[in-house]
C-alpha cells in the first residue's frame, strides 16, 4: 500500500476521486491503483498546481476504471449475436447468496488491484511484494483468462484465476489456478461459490471439464475439491512445484494432486468398498504418521493427513516432512495402480481398488 498523500491538495483530490468513482469501490483498492498509475517520481508532483493535479488525478481514476481488453477465446461470436444470454446457473447464484457475496468477472484495472490485494492477503501477507503482480493479471486478462472476484458489499474477499485452453484431443478446457479467500470471509462457503461461478462460466462456453492441482497434504482443499465439488483425482504429481523457496517452512517441494471436474453427467463417486477398512496412514500418539503396509491387500484404505498442514510446516517442519513422505508414498502407489481416491468425513483420503472383472 502506498503512503498517503500529505500535500495541501490532498483534501480536494480526495473529493475529486470520490466524485469520479462509484461509491462501492473500496478505498484501499483505489489507493493501490492510483499509486501504480502515478508517475515514477511519486505523489510530490501533485503539489505543483492544484488545478493540473486535479485534472491528472481525474484522468488517472477514469483510466483505472476502464475495462481491461479481454477477448474470450472460447466464445462463439456468431452465437453471441443470435442467442440470448443464458440465465445464471442456479447452483452458482444460490451458493453466492448463501455465502453473502456478489461474484463478478475481473474486467477493470480496479478489479485487477482488488484481485491482487486478495492474493497478497492470503499467499504473501507482509511479504513486501505481490504474489502476482498487477501486470501479470492484466496480461492474463488480455489472453482471455477468466478471473472471478467475490465481493462482500464493497470489500473484495475472494478470487479465483484460470486459463482457457484445450485438451490433447482439441476440446476446450479450463485450467483453474490459484483461489484465495481472505481469513475474515472463510467458513461461509465463498470458495464453493467461486468454483460454481467458474463452472457456470465454463458451461456457458461449451466447456465440459475444469482441471486444477492442489496440495495433497491440505485437508481443507481435499474436502472441498473431492467431497463438496465432486472432482475426480487424475494423478499424483510429486514435487510438482520444483524446489521450494529459501524461506519455505519445509525442505520438500509440495506434492500435488491433479483433479478433473467433469461438468456434464453425474459426478463420479469412488465406491465405498466392502469389508474392513485399513488405515494405510494414521497418526501415532506422538503425532507422527504410522504406515500399515497391508493396505494394498485391503478392500479399501484410509490415508489421514494433518488437519492444518500449514501450521505443522511452520511449527514442526520435520514432522511435516515425515507426513508428506508417508502420505505421498501411499497416494502415489495407489493411484499408479488404478485405485480411486475420494475424501472421507473422518479427515482422510479414502482409497478403493479398481474393479475386478
Amino acid at each position: 500500500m502506498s503512503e498517503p498523500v500529505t500535500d495541501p491538495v490532498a483534501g480536494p483530490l480526495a473529493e475529486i476521486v470520490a466524485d469520479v468513482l462509484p461509491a462501492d469501490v473500496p478505498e484501499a483498492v483505489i489507493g493501490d491503483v492510483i499509486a501504480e498509475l502515478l508517475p515514477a517520481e511519486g505523489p510530490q508532483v501533485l503539489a505543483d498546481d492544484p488545478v493540473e493535479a486535479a485534472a491528472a488525478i481525474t484522468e488517472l481514476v477514469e483510466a483505472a476504471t476502464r475495462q481491461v481488453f479481454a477477448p474470450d477465446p472460447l466464445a462463439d461470436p456468431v452465437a453471441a449475436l443470435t442467442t440470448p444470454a443464458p440465465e445464471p446457473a442456479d447452483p452458482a447464484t444460490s451458493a453466492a447468496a448463501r455465502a453473502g457475496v456478489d461474484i463478478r468477472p475481473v474486467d477493470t484495472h480496479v478489479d485487477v488491484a482488488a484481485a491482487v490485494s486478495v492474493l497478497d492477503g492470503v499467499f504473501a501477507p507482509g511479504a513486501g511484494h505481490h504474489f502476482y503482480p498487477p501486470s501479470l493479471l492484466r496480461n492474463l486478462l488480455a489472453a482471455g483468462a477468466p478471473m472471478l472476484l467475490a465481493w462482500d458489499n464493497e470489500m473484495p474477499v475472494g478470487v479465483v484465476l484460470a486459463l482457457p485452453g484445450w485438451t490433447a484431443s482439441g476440446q476446450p478446457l479450463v485450467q483453474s489456478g490459484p483461489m484465495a479467500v481472505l481469513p475474515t470471509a472463510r467458513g461461509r462457503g465463498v470458495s464453493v461459490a467461486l468454483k460454481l461461478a467458474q463452472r457456470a462460466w465454463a458451461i456457458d462456453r461449451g466447456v465440459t471439464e475444469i482441471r486444477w492441482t492442489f496440495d495433497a497434504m491440505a485437508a481443507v482443499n481435499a474436502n472441498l475439491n473431492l467431497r463438496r465439488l465432486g472432482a475426480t483425482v487424475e494423478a499424483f504429481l510429486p514435487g510438482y512445484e520444483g524446489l521450494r523457496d529459501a524461506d519455505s517452512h519445509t525442505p520438500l517441494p509440495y506434492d500435488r494432486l491433479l483433479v478433473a471436474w467433469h461438468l456434464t453427467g453425474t459426478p463420479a463417486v469412488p465406491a465405498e468398498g466392502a469389508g474392513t477398512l485399513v488405515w494405510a496412514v494414521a497418526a501415532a500418539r506422538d503425532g507422527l504418521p504410522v504406515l500399515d503396509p497391508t493396505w494394498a491387500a485391503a478392500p479399501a484404505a484410509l490415508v489421514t493427513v494433518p488437519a492444518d498442514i500449514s501450521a505443522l510446516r511452520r511449527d514442526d517442519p520435520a514432522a511435516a516432512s515425515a507426513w508428506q513422505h508417508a502420505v505421498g508414498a501411499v497416494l502415489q502407489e495407489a493411484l499408479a495402480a488404478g485405485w480411486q481416491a475420494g475424501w472421507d468425513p473422518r479427515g482422510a483420503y479414502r482409497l478403493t481398488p479398481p474393479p475386478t472383472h
Side-chain angles (χ1 to χ4, degrees):
M1 179 66 65
S2 61
E3 293 295 323
V5 179
T6 57
D7 59 72
V9 298
L13 289 177
E15 296 176 3
I16 294 171
V17 170
D19 289 340
V20 173
L21 289 171
D24 60 350
V25 176
E27 292 182 6
V29 171
I30 298 308
D32 281 347
V33 173
I34 293 176
E36 183 185 349
L37 294 176
L38 282 173
E41 55 267 30
Q44 62 271 19
V45 299
L46 301 179
D48 296 340
D49 185 321
V51 175
E52 292 182 3
I57 282 292
T58 301
E59 182 178 350
L60 287 170
V61 173
E62 289 176 343
T65 56
R66 292 190 191 115
Q67 284 187 317
V68 179
F69 175 64
D72 189 342
L74 300 183
D76 183 345
V78 176
L81 296 175
T82 60
T83 305
E87 293 295 323
D90 287 342
T93 303
S94 299
R98 287 193 301 270
V101 294
D102 181 22
I103 297 179
R104 303 192 297 269
V106 173
D107 64 1
T108 69
H109 294 282
V110 170
D111 295 335
V112 168
V116 168
S117 70
V118 173
L119 290 167
D120 288 350
V122 173
F123 296 119
H129 59 79
H130 292 309
F131 177 74
Y132 278 174
S135 58
L136 174 60
L137 266 62
R138 284 196 292 270
N139 282 324
L140 292 177
L141 281 176
M147 303 183 190
L148 300 172
L149 266 171
W151 296 84
D152 184 350
N153 293 317
E154 65 175 57
M155 180 63 62
V157 297
V159 64
V160 62
L161 311 183
L163 284 171
W166 287 265
T167 66
S169 61
Q171 297 302 309
L173 170 77
V174 169
Q175 179 68 37
S176 191
M179 180 168 65
V181 176
L182 294 178
T184 53
R186 292 174 187 167
R188 295 162 36 182
V190 176
S191 294
V192 173
L194 282 167
K195 292 302 292 185
L196 290 178
Q198 185 184 65
R199 176 181 182 271
W201 185 96
I203 289 175
D204 286 347
R205 288 154 181 79
V207 178
T208 61
E209 183 178 323
I210 300 176
R211 289 189 169 221
W212 66 93
T213 67
F214 70 94
D215 184 355
M217 297 299 299
V220 172
N221 294 28
N223 181 64
L224 169 67
N225 297 331
L226 306 183
R227 189 161 176 256
R228 301 189 68 181
L229 298 178
T232 302
V233 176
E234 297 283 302
F236 178 82
L237 306 174
Y240 181 76
E241 295 185 349
L243 296 176
R244 303 299 302 160
D245 295 333
D247 59 353
S248 173
H249 296 302
T250 175
L252 296 177
Y254 296 171
D255 300 330
R256 299 185 72 85
L257 289 173
L258 171 66
V259 297
W261 196 15
H262 301 287
L263 308 183
T264 58
T266 303
V269 179
E272 290 293 324
T276 303
L277 279 170
V278 170
W279 284 88
V281 178
R285 290 184 178 181
D286 60 3
L288 293 176
V290 176
L291 176 66
D292 183 346
T294 69
W295 70 267
L302 294 174
V303 178
T304 193
V305 296
D308 189 346
I309 188 60
S310 295
L312 191 63
R313 285 172 176 149
R314 180 186 66 244
D315 301 335
D316 193 345
S321 296
W323 274 101
Q324 183 170 327
H325 276 300
V327 172
V330 173
L331 290 180
Q332 185 169 19
E333 181 180 348
L335 292 170
W339 288 51
Q340 293 180 303
W343 186 253
D344 190 274
R346 286 168 282 192
Y349 289 102
R350 186 185 186 99
L351 303 177
T352 53
T356 57
H357 299 287

